[in-house]
Amino acid sequence: MSDDASDGTDAEFGTAEFGTRSVHAGQRADPATGARAPPIYQTTSYTFPDAETAAERYALADDGYIYSRISNPTVEMLEDRLASLENGAGAVATGSGMAALDSATLLLAEAGDNVVCSTDTYGGTTAYFSKTATRRDIEPRFVPTLEYDAYEEAIDEDTAFVHVETVGNPSLVTPDFERVAEIAHENGVPLVVDNTFATPALCRPLEHGADVVWESTTKWLHGSGTTVGGVLVDGGTFPWGEHGYDEIAGQNHAYHDVDFSRDFPEAPFAAAARFRSLRTLGNQQSPFDAWQTLQGLESLPLRMDKHCENAAIVAEYLADHEDVAWVTQPGLESHPTHDNAARYLDDYSGMVAFGLETGYAGGKTLCESVEVAQFLANIGDAKTLVIHPASTTHGQLTPDEQEEAGVTPDLIRMSVGIEDPADILADLEQAIETATRTATEGDERT
């Protein structure tokens, strides 16, 4: 097992283009059978050839497999492919995106620390920091995503890391990564980026100053809405030892004579995540789920092209609709961070957010009225998906917290799928008409 992407990726594909690596990176023909498709190693454990090797593996001096909670050959293929696609040094796959975030937080923050987090953030992430991390005496400090002086003011000697999203959920705001990274690094803390909404097909935050990237592989990386998973990707460049991150640099208190920065110099964060977070928290990704996600990754570039193309068509349609109060999408020049999106993204994502003239009630009615689009709590599926965040994904937040996160009462979040755009537009038209008519009839009754 390895946390260095170059060890797990065939050398011939190491410098290949993104689309080729999406199909091949991290995978070889099965040495036992010659099978070209990735085998599913559905096993809990691995035999040791002798007692000395067993002892060396437990001491992390031998990189052979021990137990699938820590590492597994099928999962390793996925990890190596995602590390390659993100241009990272190593990766660790987890049971979900939230498991990836928890794994990172376990390594980077301890009681008494704080985390500086942008407000344009997924409601689950916000709830994690404000309701779960606080039980471990880790303080969240939420700052307006685009107010860069606020990051500087919030960071102090107890800050563990700074967290932002590539494309904010659901506001679709893209921060200036390089500026945030510079602020974080000047204060000796890493920048952690949730790249779920962009995927490495559209943005690779490690190329713009991020130190750690995490994603929910459940979304576009897999693409079919069947498999939950997550990943942590290590940029391999942050000087952990210079800034007191003792889980990653220095004698590790959980392993005798192990220093991850010394023993795994290419990707020490990934190694620590594997041997500390996965081993202790048990939040690893299963072999079957990893195998499923590998299948999805093969078509990632093609799907992302279609998601983005359809989202642009939907955004333009909504912008011209008389019953639509507003629409936002990073590709629209009216979007507040269109310039940042143009700078950092290869395309403008498959997401659209909008509100109807009928407000909160209209948003809920539209979600109930779609037929092609599906009303459910997910994004990044091949199918078009809609949800009303104020009453669902961000419903656990207070009205003030919703406002800070960019969630207005009327906001509809739409993950645009890869269906024929004519059918998506026709579905939207009938759903908007139903929502508008229902509101009108309600006004007449009152």
Side-chain angles (χ1 to χ4, degrees):
M1 97 204 112
S2 171
D3 291 297
D4 179 357
S6 64
D7 291 343
T9 304
D10 288 344
E12 63 191 289
F13 300 118
T15 59
E17 296 299 321
F18 186 91
T20 302
R21 286 182 284 128
S22 294
V23 176
H24 290 284
Q27 184 183 336
R28 301 183 180 93
D30 178 46
T33 65
R36 192 64 188 91
I40 303 173
Y41 290 91
Q42 193 67 36
T43 183
T44 63
S45 314
Y46 308 84
T47 58
F48 304 119
D50 51 61
E52 181 178 356
T53 300
E56 288 179 348
R57 289 183 185 178
Y58 272 95
L60 310 188
D62 181 285
D63 66 359
Y65 300 100
I66 300 172
Y67 196 70
S68 281
R69 186 176 71 245
I70 300 170
S71 60
N72 171 282
T74 307
V75 179
E76 185 181 21
M77 292 182 201
L78 174 64
E79 292 168 342
D80 290 338
R81 186 168 301 177
L82 290 172
S84 175
L85 296 181
E86 289 281 4
N87 286 339
V92 173
T94 58
S96 68
M98 294 307 298
L101 177 61
D102 191 40
S103 296
T105 304
L106 178 72
L107 295 180
L108 300 180
E110 60 184 14
D113 285 349
N114 64 75
V115 174
V116 175
C117 181
S118 61
T119 51
D120 292 275
T121 296
Y122 166 52
T125 301
T126 300
Y128 170 82
F129 285 129
S130 62
K131 309 301 182 185
T132 301
T134 51
R135 292 178 61 86
R136 303 172 185 171
D137 195 24
I138 298 169
E139 175 197 359
R141 296 182 177 178
F142 296 103
V143 300
T145 303
L146 305 179
E147 294 183 14
Y148 301 102
D149 289 345
Y151 292 93
E152 185 76 57
E153 293 171 3
I155 297 172
D156 62 20
E157 60 183 11
D158 294 321
T159 299
F161 60 94
V162 175
H163 182 278
V164 299
E165 293 187 351
T166 312
V167 180
N169 178 5
S171 67
L172 310 185
V173 168
T174 298
D176 185 338
F177 299 115
E178 292 177 359
R179 190 169 176 183
V180 177
E182 182 179 2
I183 293 168
H185 294 161
E186 285 177 351
N187 287 276
V189 298
L191 174 62
V192 178
V193 176
D194 177 357
N195 196 35
T196 299
F197 266 39
T199 81
L202 304 185
C203 182
R204 292 156 298 282
L206 297 175
E207 297 175 358
H208 304 293
D211 302 291
V212 175
V213 165
W214 69 276
E215 293 190 44
S216 168
T217 62
T218 312
K219 313 304 192 290
W220 290 273
L221 292 176
H222 181 275
S224 294
T226 66
T227 306
V228 175
V231 68
L232 278 169
V233 183
D234 182 357
T237 60
F238 190 80
W240 305 105
E242 295 178 15
H243 301 295
Y245 289 89
D246 57 6
E247 279 285 2
I248 305 168
Q251 169 64 50
N252 192 276
H253 65 276
Y255 287 91
H256 173 66
D257 196 30
V258 169
D259 177 340
F260 290 112
S261 64
R262 178 196 67 200
D263 301 332
F264 300 86
E266 296 298 322
F269 176 89
R274 181 178 308 286
F275 295 111
R276 288 291 287 125
S277 296
L278 296 194
R279 186 189 188 201
T280 302
L281 299 175
N283 55 13
Q284 75 284 350
Q285 189 164 148
S286 76
F288 181 74
D289 289 351
W291 182 85
Q292 287 271 56
T293 302
L294 281 165
Q295 313 311 305
L297 282 173
E298 293 185 354
S299 63
L300 175 66
L302 303 177
R303 288 186 288 104
M304 291 307 293
D305 283 348
K306 187 61 174 176
H307 283 297
C308 294
E309 176 185 338
N310 281 357
I313 292 170
V314 168
E316 292 179 5
Y317 158 80
L318 292 170
D320 292 334
H321 200 293
E322 63 179 2
D323 295 320
V324 174
W326 59 272
V327 60
T328 188
Q329 207 268 342
L332 296 174
E333 292 186 4
S334 59
H335 192 278
T337 61
H338 173 74
D339 290 345
N340 283 348
R343 176 181 177 186
Y344 290 116
L345 307 180
D346 292 340
D347 208 331
Y348 295 109
S349 89
M351 297 299 300
V352 177
F354 63 99
L356 300 182
E357 294 288 355
T358 48
Y360 182 92
K364 294 177 70 174
T365 301
L366 179 140
C367 291
E368 295 172 338
S369 304
V370 291
E371 297 172 357
V372 173
Q374 304 297 297
F375 178 23
L376 54 82
N378 196 22
I379 53 173
D381 199 327
K383 304 173 183 65
T384 296
L385 313 174
V386 296
I387 201 163
H388 180 247
S391 62
T392 57
T393 59
H394 290 66
Q396 73 272 29
L397 304 183
T398 67
D400 287 344
E401 288 173 333
Q402 288 187 5
E403 183 179 357
E404 289 178 351
V407 178
T408 57
D410 60 346
L411 186 147
I412 299 163
R413 186 186 73 184
M414 186 173 191
S415 174
V416 183
I418 61 174
E419 302 98 339
D420 191 293
D423 293 320
I424 299 173
L425 298 186
D427 188 35
L428 273 174
E429 181 63 35
Q430 67 82 22
I432 292 172
E433 193 278 330
T434 299
T436 303
R437 183 183 68 252
T438 301
T440 302
E441 291 172 351
D443 289 342
E444 291 174 351
R445 284 195 297 270
T446 57

